[in-house]
Amino acid sequence: MPPPTPIRGLGPDSELGDAARRILAGRLADARHPEDQLGAELDEDGVHDMRVATRRLRAALQVFQATGKLARVEADVKRLQDALGAVRDLHVQDAWMGTAAKGKKDAVKALAGLRKTHLSSLGEKEKTLRAELERWTERTVPRLLKRLDTLEDRHRFAGKQVRGHLRQRLRRVEKRLERYADAPDATSAHALRKDLKKLRYELEIFQPAFRRTVGALLEVLVPLQDGLGELHDADVRLELFERAAAEAPPVQRKAAHKLLPRIREERAARSAEIAREVQRWHAEAIPKRLRKALT
């Protein structure tokens, strides 16, 4: 995952409005950077990078909502993020199938039909994405740029309000961790992943205000979030192949049945890794330490 552009010159006593203007400008620049990769061809790396960048931009828009009227812009950015996600999800599973078949002629042939079926909706989703990219360039970017100069808030960048918000976000993650520990299924894993992602992006936003504290938080948070992302991809893949094994034409069903043991094994390995990481969080009282750091 590409890191966000560092925002220099901000500190704990900076005004929240000033921080909002500068951070949003930086997140917008990060989101615009991959546009050149999404020209004639929707490059896979470009789609991935822009998806991550728009997520970070949305997180900043939500955090700084009180500094100005940003709800409409955030909704527009979400439209683009969703379109990028729909294409990216197809890319991820197709890449796995390509790797699974690599060096095996029989697997290439068997998976060809599955890959074709899986990618059958790619054209339509790419068409939607191109429309959203055009909307982004013509409407969303100018609208956000217009809003930037109007953002005002005299609260401190690292004030009680901000610390309270981050502690609240952390408490939500703690509850998700407890639910996942009790029932480590795909639903609880996905919910935990989403809340960890929100906490991560918000910590990145306030890193100039907390510096060492946030760096330590991210150091323990990122591995768990990344692992949950890989688990999510494995869950999507498992559902995809289980459906193919039940519903696809005979040749594709055979290929799906052949690969299902490997997919289940990979999913189990990912789940075991997450279980160890969650256990470490509890054993080392990481949530408590993180909360203390934000006091």
Side-chain angles (χ1 to χ4, degrees), residues 111 114 241-242 244-245 251-261 263:
L111 278 172
L114 274 174
F241 274 78
E242 284 179 340
V251 175
Q252 295 182 34
R253 285 205 308 273
K254 184 177 179 180
H257 275 295
K258 190 173 182 178
L259 283 169
L260 270 173
I263 294 167

Side-chain angles (χ1 to χ4, degrees), residues 85-241:
V87 173
R88 171 64 180 168
D89 289 345
L90 290 177
H91 286 168
V92 168
Q93 300 307 332
D94 184 60
W96 184 91
M97 284 188 260
T99 301
K102 194 173 182 179
K104 304 172 184 177
K105 291 184 179 180
D106 57 335
V108 171
K109 185 176 180 180
L111 278 172
L114 274 174
R115 292 182 75 177
K116 184 177 180 181
T117 299
H118 177 65
L119 292 176
S120 61
S121 63
L122 181 59
E124 189 61 32
K125 289 179 179 179
E126 285 185 335
K127 182 180 178 181
T128 300
L129 175 52
R130 290 189 186 282
E132 289 302 326
L133 284 167
E134 185 175 345
R135 178 188 174 92
W136 157 262
T137 303
E138 295 181 358
R139 298 178 60 179
T140 308
V141 171
R143 184 175 290 157
L144 177 52
L145 289 171
K146 186 177 180 180
R147 298 298 316 160
L148 284 183
D149 291 336
T150 69
L151 305 181
E152 293 291 344
D153 193 319
R154 293 186 177 278
H155 287 93
R156 289 177 64 245
F157 189 35
K160 293 181 180 179
Q161 183 180 4
V162 168
R163 292 174 184 270
H165 173 80
L166 291 174
R167 288 197 299 271
Q168 185 178 25
R169 180 69 75 191
L170 181 58
R171 280 194 292 271
R172 186 175 178 85
V173 167
E174 286 185 80
K175 291 180 181 178
R176 293 294 189 192
L177 278 166
E178 292 172 2
R179 291 175 190 172
Y180 181 77
D182 291 339
D185 55 24
T187 300
S188 61
H190 186 53
L192 173 58
R193 173 176 169 250
K194 287 196 297 183
D195 278 320
L196 275 171
K197 193 182 303 179
K198 289 176 182 178
L199 176 59
R200 174 183 179 174
Y201 292 159
E202 291 184 4
L203 286 171
E204 288 175 344
I205 288 168
F206 291 105
Q207 190 160 12
F210 297 106
R211 290 188 172 83
R212 292 181 183 176
T213 298
V214 168
L217 295 175
L218 291 172
E219 190 175 335
V220 297
L221 186 154
V222 170
L224 180 55
Q225 185 211 327
D226 289 346
L228 285 163
E230 293 175 358
L231 180 64
H232 174 70
D233 290 340
D235 282 325
V236 171
R237 188 175 306 124
L238 181 59
E239 182 180 359
L240 173 68
F241 274 78

Side-chain angles (χ1 to χ4, degrees), residues 2-3 5 25-38 45-47 49-50 53-54 136 141:
T5 298
R27 294 296 188 265
L28 175 59
D30 286 345
R32 302 216 69 188
H33 183 68
E35 285 181 26
D36 291 340
Q37 296 172 266
L38 303 178
D45 289 337
V47 169
D49 290 350
M50 194 167 191
T54 53
W136 157 262
V141 171

Side-chain angles (χ1 to χ4, degrees), residues 7 10 18-28 60 64 157 205 208:
I7 308 298
L10 292 176
D18 180 45
R21 292 191 295 272
R22 297 186 58 190
I23 290 172
L24 283 169
R27 294 296 188 265
L28 175 59
F64 296 123
F157 189 35
I205 288 168

